[in-house]
Amino acid sequence: MNQRIHINRYAFARQSFVALALILAFTKCQNPENKTGGTAKTTEAYQPLHPGNVKVAGEIGRRIDVTLHENIQKIDVDKDFVLPFMKKENQYNGGFTGIGMYIDAIVKMAVYTGDPKVISYKNSVINKLIDAQLPDGYIGMFRLEDRMWSLWDIHEMGYIIYGLTTDYQYYKDSRSLQCAIKVADYILDRWSTMPQGWEKKTRVNLHEAVTGLDRAMLTLYRYTGERRFLDFCINQKALPDWNLDIVTGRRVGLDAHVYGYIGMCLAQLEMYRLVPQDKLLIKSEETLDFLTANDGMVISGETGQWEAWTDDQDGDNALGETCATAYQIRFYENLFRLFGEAKYGDLMERTIYNALFAAQSPDGRKIRYYTPLAGAREYFKDDTYCCPNNYRRIVSELPSMIYYENQKGGICINLYTASSAVAGLPDGISVDLKQETDYPNSGKVEVTVSPSRSTSFPLMLRIPAWAKGATVAINGETQGMTIVPGNFVSITRQWSKGDKVMLDIPMDWRLVKGRKRQSGRIAVLRGPVLFCLNPTKNPGQGLEQLSPDELERILIDPSSLKGPFNDETVRTDGMSCEILAWRAGWGMSDGPHDLKLLLTEFPDPGCKSTYFNIADKSVAQDDELIKLKHSK
């Protein structure tokens, strides 16, 4: 690779433990639960606002609410999560519940809502887990002779460490921290006991079998300062030297597993914050290149078949494992925080509105393992395991992906949704922010800015790469500023209470070219939202009897596209569009239209087809997200 993500832009100390000591000194004095905005400087370009300072409405807020109230709080925690840890009889199917992931999600939901009932529920679940810990530190569901090296025991314990550390981060519960330390020490003390030939016997590579462990240890190190946790990642896990190449296809060892691979990239990015070595960025750069420039990501933002990397653009069957989708969003958000470029927000937005929300039933109760572009979609039958819990985790993190503070004392709005927030500036001034918008239905976003006293600072608004012709007005006066799609527009002025910024983003329809297996076909997008065909929403036209391949042969007439119209299939204020089309055959585009199609939003549970034929390919355009290139 000839380029590195911002390596030349930031003059970080190379392989310097002096830098490590300075960063550690900073992290020890951080106050993670500080709700005044958190204005301390870090090596990151942006810092998210404390989630307790953000309230979210719109479709993002609705998904947060239904995930909490219709999913998280509807689970039988004692039966599905706690009981296996109390019995320790190796009887649980799959060897993994995901209770640490679940705790991570409910802690963040408790912080976001501030609801005493949610906090109490969070405490109850954590207390039950801690009560299941043995004196030697073990928390798990395996008998003594099977602990540590049975799949997925360490994987489970790693996320328990992470979830309990999250509780300490926000609530300073020393019992959670001590429990996490004991679990970590249990693993450290027994790491050298890995049986010879273990990877060959299990047919799973070590990094995959312990996905999440590296980040858990680094996070524990960040909040304790105990060097053994960092040393474990450097020496035993050799995290700085992890350099597995991206390969495609599900293989023995799971070395092509998307979720585990991105998990390792995130661990390296976390270590980069502590020990800023250039080599810790290389695998993240290659991953981003694969997704955006080498056909790894499909039009919905998803990636991978059967959990493994693919680059053929196949949209059928086991597409887009929900764990991978969650980790893609987290990966983009980490890169956004580190380097501050708008393209990462574009990727987050595409993946959230389509891949992520399509992985959940509209009412919030059910979650999918895979979400194909074509063919039938199925919900996962259980509330436990990785995909349901990783879904809950990433949704609980959405409040922290909207508003950010930057190192220069500015405020950044990354995602557009009806919401409010309180940010802090370096001089102690607080700023109330309020977004009023029906985005993504329209591109009109009104931001009310109310500092505690009049002050000057830059307000940055992300302009999506597809947003041509966006305008900005302040207090009703249009600003003659240059606005470049795919970048931030920065507004620096003397702000006073009640100032209003109106961002108007044109929401043009886009017919986006398919690639590889989708070559010759197009997908229909408007703003960040992808549209699809649900045969049951088109009765009386014989579509329900057609196979996915037959549906994709339908030829649409771009000149007939109308909408958007209100549609409640996915959400109360959702969208649909209408387009005329022809059935496959000799008469296509040469005579009266055979079909009048209603297309709904991609999260429609009945979606069966996303790509369509088109006669004149010149009216289609490339996907703006596959053109993304790294800064030199």
Side-chain angles (χ1 to χ4, degrees), residues 317-429:
N317 205 357
L319 174 73
E321 183 201 17
T322 298
C323 287
T325 295
Y327 267 64
Q328 279 177 262
I329 296 168
R330 192 172 290 116
F331 175 64
Y332 301 143
E333 198 273 340
N334 266 258
L335 293 174
F336 176 73
R337 280 192 282 125
L338 279 168
F339 306 116
E341 294 190 54
K343 62 188 178 186
Y344 301 119
D346 287 357
L347 289 163
M348 291 164 63
E349 180 180 66
R350 172 78 66 85
T351 311
I352 289 168
Y353 277 107
N354 300 293
L356 183 66
F357 291 162
Q360 183 186 45
S361 61
D363 66 2
R365 183 62 187 92
K366 299 176 182 179
I367 297 172
R368 302 185 194 282
Y369 214 94
Y370 303 109
T371 308
L373 301 180
R377 297 176 178 178
E378 297 178 356
Y379 293 109
F380 191 57
K381 61 183 178 63
D382 297 321
D383 286 322
T384 58
Y385 223 57
C386 53
C387 281
N389 286 301
N390 268 326
Y391 183 91
R392 296 169 188 128
R393 291 179 68 213
I394 198 65
V395 169
S396 75
E397 294 168 22
L398 292 180
S400 297
M401 297 182 183
I402 301 170
Y403 299 93
Y404 293 79
E405 297 163 352
N406 76 356
Q407 290 184 332
K408 298 180 180 179
I411 298 172
C412 167
I413 299 180
N414 178 47
L415 298 178
Y416 300 116
T417 183
S419 56
S420 61
V422 180
L425 299 179
D427 53 5
I429 295 175

Side-chain angles (χ1 to χ4, degrees), residues 60 349 353 402 413-419 435 437 439-440 445 447 460-464 488-489 503 505:
I60 294 177
E349 180 180 66
Y353 277 107
I402 301 170
I413 299 180
N414 178 47
L415 298 178
Y416 300 116
T417 183
S419 56
Q435 279 193 66
T437 180
Y439 191 93
V445 182
V447 181
M460 287 153 287
L461 306 175
R462 181 179 58 85
I463 307 301
F488 285 102
V489 58
L503 173 65
I505 303 173

